[in-house]
């Protein structure tokens, strides 16, 4: 903590400011199962132990605060009752809900807490600031629909598409990132930097009724004037900030929070654009700073006072711009992502601000992400062009180091010298060369545990600790699942066929050839899928040619059912139904519990 601004307690004052009431007890249940539980984090009130980085422990103490808070006149926030915040803006007839959390149950509990203290106001409108599920999934906990719902243009597409194609792998990796299987304890999960963790209730989605398409667009909801700034390609592909001029309050969505955010989330996603992120923050300052006395976001606590607002948003801006520009400067000198990540240091003035610290994103993995965005996985060195995969690589390294005894001896030496990173690399080879080597596994688990306990970054800590857990206890099945019937129903027909295509087991389908026409009766759409050379090709409005082997007439709901293995009852057909069976026969289910720290 020597180089950290430990005397700066402003964040604690801001996190407590405006406190109205806490949820008591601080648990939310669904069918008797806890989907949210703040009580389990009460140990964070103690002094930081040796098993945690003091800076991350401090962030946990701030994020664990929960309840209803006043932001300014007529604006309240529910904080600490899910990963994200829900903001409540009081209008003439009721209340506008901004970002109704991830789970229906948490959103309902939050709204009830608000109403207990502010009266039984009806929800008159909803705003989704962006397309991530922790900002819309709880919507049915606050409304059944029938009210205006505003979202940035492209919201629906991105809300469903980001998790469609690689969703299984993202969910699996998310269990490493958020650590739901870890004990909540000083040795275990102490938050994820952005909040404590994700809730595990019901995810819903009501489509927006109005798109925000341009910066400067002004809308009046329940008598409240709101001016929007769209920020596509920042923290989410569809995102927006907004000002409530008559309350002098600015919402920065998830574009400026009290952490360095992810340019690339460790669960996996497409790389975000640090350059435009910084530009939109500059624009937000220019448009809104003179008209705001408070800035709040959909995570963490607000910042009050014009000077503080400008300093806060400018530093966030400088941080993303610096990371972007310096990465590009260094890569144009021939440095690779790994090298730049090692060399990059934020300016001291930025490091002195807590909110630039990497509790969720990190300088290290963000720099590699920026490199990846511009240059991809290959660093240009032919030695890295055609490497052996991990098991083959591991066997050879182990052989070269005199067998497993040699590797373990070397690993012990590096471990004793405190070079945990190289000890992890060596032991990882030992485990991949022989996954049944229990001694190597337990040594590697020990190294991961120490790396986790030393991490300032919450998601790094969770990754290391879940790795240790799975090395000793085997794969822990995922209990993070961002799919839901409403998200599935929001898929376009093209996305449904794309999802089908990525489940075709290529080699098994090499010799297969078939064509199916699909008439979506409820949408009055015509689609054709053809399977040839192991590729399932989709075409909307197919030109008439030779007839398909099978024509099916069905609803979109029935199509979704077919994909999830429900029988084809009630589907009208013409042609040979055996063709559908042949297609289904070459589909493979994804593996939601694939190994990560073992081969
Ligand atoms: Zn979020």
């Amino acid at each position: 903590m020597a180089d950290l601004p430990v005397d700066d307690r402003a964040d604690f004052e801001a996190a407590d400011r405006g406190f109205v009431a806490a949820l008591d007890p601080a648990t939310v249940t669904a069918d008797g199962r806890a989907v949210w539980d703040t009580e389990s984090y009460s140990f964070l009130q103690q002094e930081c132990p040796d098993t945690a980085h003091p800076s991350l422990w401090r962030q946990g103490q701030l994020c664990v605060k929960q309840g209803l808070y006043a932001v300014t006149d007529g604006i309240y926030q529910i904080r600490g009752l899910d990963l994200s915040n829900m903001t409540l803006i009081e209008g003439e007839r009721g209340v506008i809900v901004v970002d109704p959390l991830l789970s229906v149950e948490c959103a309902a509990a939050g709204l009830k807490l608000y109403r207990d203290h502010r009266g039984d106001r009806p929800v008159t409108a909803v705003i989704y600031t962006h397309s991530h599920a922790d900002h819309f999934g709880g919507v049915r906990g606050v409304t059944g629909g029938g009210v205006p719902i505003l979202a940035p243009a492209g919201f629906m597409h991105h809300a469903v598409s980001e998790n469609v194609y690689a969703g299984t792998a993202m969910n699996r990796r998310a269990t490493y990132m958020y650590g739901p299987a870890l004990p909540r304890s000083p040795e275990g999960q102490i938050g994820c930097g952005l909040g404590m963790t994700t809730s595990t209730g019901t995810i819903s989605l009501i489509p927006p009724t109005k798109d925000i398409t341009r910066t400067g667009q002004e809308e009046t909801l329940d008598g409240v004037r709101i001016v929007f700034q769209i920020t596509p390609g920042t923290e989410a592909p569809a995102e927006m900030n907004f000002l409530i001029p008559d309350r002098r309050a600015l919402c920065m969505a998830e574009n400026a929070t009290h952490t360095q955010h992810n340019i690339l989330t460790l669960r996996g996603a497409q790389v975000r654009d640090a350059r435009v992120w910084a530009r939109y923050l500059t624009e937000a300052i220019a448009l809104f700073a003179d008209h705001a006395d408070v800035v709040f976001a959909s995570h963490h606590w607000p910042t009050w006072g014009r000077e503080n607002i400008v300093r806060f948003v400018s530093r966030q801006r400088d941080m993303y711009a610096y990371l972007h520009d310096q990465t590009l400067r260094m890569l144009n000198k021939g440095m690779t992502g790994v090298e730049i990540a090692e060399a990059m240091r934020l300016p001291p003035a930025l490091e002195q601000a807590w909110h630039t610290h990497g509790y969720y994103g990190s300088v290290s993995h963000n720099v590699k992400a920026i490199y990846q965005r511009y240059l991809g996985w290959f660093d240009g060195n032919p030695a890295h062009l055609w490497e052996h995969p991990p098991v083959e690589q591991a066997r050879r390294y182990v052989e070269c180091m005199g067998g497993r005894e040699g590797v373990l001896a070397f690993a012990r030496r590096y471990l004793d010298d405190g070079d945990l990173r190289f000890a992890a690399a060596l032991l990882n080879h030992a485990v991949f060369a022989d996954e049944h080597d229990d001694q190597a596994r337990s040594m590697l688990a020990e190294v991961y545990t120490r790396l986790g306990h030393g991490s300032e970054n919450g998601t790094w800590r969770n990754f290391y600790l879940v790795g240790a857990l799975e090395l000793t206890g085997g794969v822990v099945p995922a209990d993070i699942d961002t799919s839901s019937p409403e998200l599935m129903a929001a898929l376009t027909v093209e996305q449904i066929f794309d999802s089908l295509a990525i489940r075709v087991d290529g080699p098994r389908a090499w010799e297969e050839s078939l064509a199916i026409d699909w008439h979506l009766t409820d949408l009055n759409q015509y689609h054709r899928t053809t399977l040839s050379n192991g590729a399932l090709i989709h075409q909307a409005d197919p030109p008439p040619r030779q007839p398909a082997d099978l024509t099916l007439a069905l609803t979109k709901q029935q199509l979704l059912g077919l994909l999830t293995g429900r029988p084809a009852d009630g589907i009208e057909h013409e042609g040979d139904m055996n063709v559908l069976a042949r297609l289904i026969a070459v589909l493979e289910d994804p593996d939601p519990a694939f190994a990560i720290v073992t081969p």
Side-chain angles (χ1 to χ4, degrees):
M1 286 289 262
D3 49 352
L4 293 173
V6 282
D7 294 331
D8 177 5
R9 298 283 295 174
D11 283 335
F12 283 90
E13 286 160 25
D16 286 332
R17 180 167 165 174
F19 175 74
V20 177
L23 188 69
D24 183 25
T27 52
V28 179
T29 55
D31 306 325
R33 179 177 66 95
V35 299
W36 183 258
D37 175 14
T38 313
E39 306 286 338
S40 56
Y41 289 109
S42 54
F43 62 87
L44 281 167
Q45 301 317 315
Q46 304 159 18
E47 286 286 291
C48 179
D50 292 340
T51 53
H53 192 291
S55 179
L56 180 62
W57 189 263
R58 173 190 178 277
Q59 185 79 351
Q61 289 182 329
L62 286 159
C63 290
V64 81
K65 293 172 185 287
Q66 61 87 8
L68 175 69
Y69 296 81
V71 174
T72 188
D73 205 22
I75 301 181
Y76 291 80
Q77 279 191 316
I78 293 292
R79 300 206 287 265
L81 293 181
D82 205 323
L83 179 66
S84 44
N85 298 338
M86 177 164 84
T87 303
L88 301 131
I89 302 168
E90 295 178 351
E92 286 171 359
R93 294 178 296 112
V95 65
I96 303 158
V97 174
V98 182
D99 288 357
L101 306 179
L102 173 60
S103 293
V104 168
E105 296 83 357
C106 292
L111 183 64
K112 180 177 184 308
L113 180 64
Y114 164 80
R115 283 176 170 162
D116 285 349
H117 296 271
R118 295 295 304 164
D120 203 12
R121 294 163 195 263
V123 171
T124 48
V126 173
I127 297 173
Y128 303 138
T129 61
H130 63 290
S131 50
H132 292 152
D134 56 323
H135 303 269
F136 64 79
V139 65
R140 287 204 182 272
V142 300
T143 180
V147 297
I149 299 181
L150 275 53
F155 171 89
M156 274 305 272
H157 172 76
H158 292 295
V160 296
S161 74
E162 194 171 28
N163 300 315
V164 175
Y165 302 134
T168 303
M170 287 177 181
N171 276 339
R172 171 72 178 123
R173 290 165 54 139
T175 65
Y176 270 66
M177 180 165 172
Y178 296 102
L182 295 172
R184 292 176 184 178
S185 72
E187 297 76 36
Q189 210 268 14
I190 60 170
C192 67
L194 191 64
M196 299 317 293
T197 187
T198 49
S199 64
T200 54
T202 311
I203 297 174
S204 61
L205 173 58
I206 304 178
T209 60
K210 181 161 207 168
D211 281 356
I212 302 302
T213 57
R214 60 181 176 85
T215 292
Q217 186 171 339
E218 185 172 318
E219 300 291 335
T220 300
L221 294 172
D222 196 5
V224 181
R225 256 189 338 127
I226 305 176
V227 183
F228 293 92
Q229 177 202 14
I230 56 164
T231 66
T234 51
E235 187 266 336
E239 189 148 357
M240 62 186 185
N241 304 323
F242 61 83
L243 178 80
I244 306 159
D246 301 321
R247 313 269 170 91
R248 297 188 61 80
L250 171 61
C251 172
M252 289 299 288
E254 200 163 330
N255 285 320
T257 56
H258 290 274
T259 180
Q260 180 179 137
H261 212 293
N262 281 312
I263 303 303
L264 178 56
T265 171
L266 296 184
R267 73 172 155 78
Q270 294 186 12
V271 183
R272 297 165 189 165
D273 190 342
R275 188 182 68 87
V276 307
W277 197 329
R279 283 176 177 252
Y280 282 123
L281 291 179
T282 301
E283 186 181 65
I285 296 167
L287 288 173
F288 299 140
D290 284 341
H291 308 283
D293 295 328
V294 62
V295 61
F296 62 90
S298 290
H299 293 273
H300 301 139
W301 47 95
T303 299
W304 285 269
R306 186 187 183 279
E307 224 173 279
N308 294 337
I309 294 170
V310 172
R311 188 167 54 223
F312 169 63
V313 181
S314 312
R315 281 176 171 169
Q316 286 273 309
R317 183 268 316 274
D318 289 351
M319 168 178 68
Y320 295 122
Y322 189 89
L323 289 174
H324 175 270
D325 296 350
Q326 295 304 306
T327 300
L328 270 290
R329 177 179 70 84
M330 289 190 248
L331 75 78
N332 278 326
K333 287 169 62 173
M335 292 171 74
T336 63
V338 178
E339 290 167 334
I340 301 168
E342 213 62 31
M344 182 75 77
R345 232 202 99 195
L346 287 180
L350 288 186
E351 263 187 356
Q352 281 297 306
W354 291 104
H355 63 85
T356 63
H357 282 246
Y359 303 113
Y360 195 55
S362 75
V363 168
S364 175
H365 72 257
N366 280 343
V367 161
K368 291 171 191 166
I370 295 165
Y371 184 95
Q372 178 186 324
R373 183 178 176 93
Y374 285 92
L375 294 180
W377 66 271
F378 181 45
D379 65 7
N381 182 339
H384 302 144
L385 190 53
W386 195 34
E387 288 181 78
H388 284 295
V391 168
E392 295 307 316
Q393 185 104 284
R395 286 188 182 140
R396 287 161 175 80
Y397 272 114
V398 169
E399 187 192 3
C400 294
M401 282 181 282
R404 54 122 18 207
E405 300 300 330
V407 177
L408 298 197
F410 275 122
R412 178 56 65 192
R413 206 179 85 195
Y414 282 98
L415 191 52
D416 291 345
D417 288 347
D419 189 347
L420 301 176
R421 295 163 70 181
F422 196 63
L426 289 177
L427 290 164
N428 182 55
H429 283 319
V431 170
F432 272 73
D434 176 9
E435 63 174 309
H436 302 295
D437 187 336
D438 288 337
Q439 195 189 351
R441 284 172 84 121
S442 77
M443 278 178 75
L444 183 54
E446 179 194 333
V447 175
Y448 283 162
T449 301
R450 285 174 58 183
L451 282 166
H453 288 168
S455 293
E456 184 183 34
N457 186 289
T459 62
W460 283 37
R461 176 184 172 98
N462 294 338
F463 258 87
Y464 282 127
L465 296 184
V466 175
L469 188 73
E470 293 198 343
L471 276 169
T472 47
V475 167
V476 185
D479 79 338
I480 289 180
D481 185 3
T482 50
S483 68
S484 83
E486 276 184 318
L487 276 174
M488 291 285 287
L491 292 172
T492 64
V493 174
E494 183 179 16
Q495 286 171 329
I496 296 172
F497 286 121
D498 283 352
S499 306
L500 202 59
I502 61 181
R503 284 176 51 203
V504 171
D505 179 342
R508 209 151 30 104
W510 282 347
E511 309 300 332
E512 191 57 272
S513 174
L514 53 84
I516 302 177
D517 278 354
W518 310 76
H519 176 206
L520 275 296
T521 49
D522 52 336
L523 304 173
N524 200 26
Q525 289 181 10
Y526 293 86
H527 298 263
R528 175 169 294 163
T529 54
T530 52
L531 180 64
S532 58
N533 295 311
L536 185 70
I537 305 301
H538 161 255
Q539 203 177 5
D541 299 320
R545 39 152 232 171
Q546 71 265 46
D549 304 310
L550 171 67
T551 300
L552 296 167
L554 73 180
T555 63
K556 185 178 167 192
Q557 203 54 42
Q558 285 174 316
L559 174 62
L560 279 166
L562 271 186
L563 304 193
T564 49
R566 259 177 277 150
D569 295 341
I571 297 175
E572 284 180 43
H573 73 277
E574 210 176 291
D576 182 4
M577 273 302 264
N578 195 38
V579 172
L580 180 63
R582 276 160 50 202
L583 172 61
I584 290 173
V586 298
L587 298 182
E588 183 185 69
D589 285 332
D591 178 2
F594 55 78
I596 291 179
V597 289
T598 55

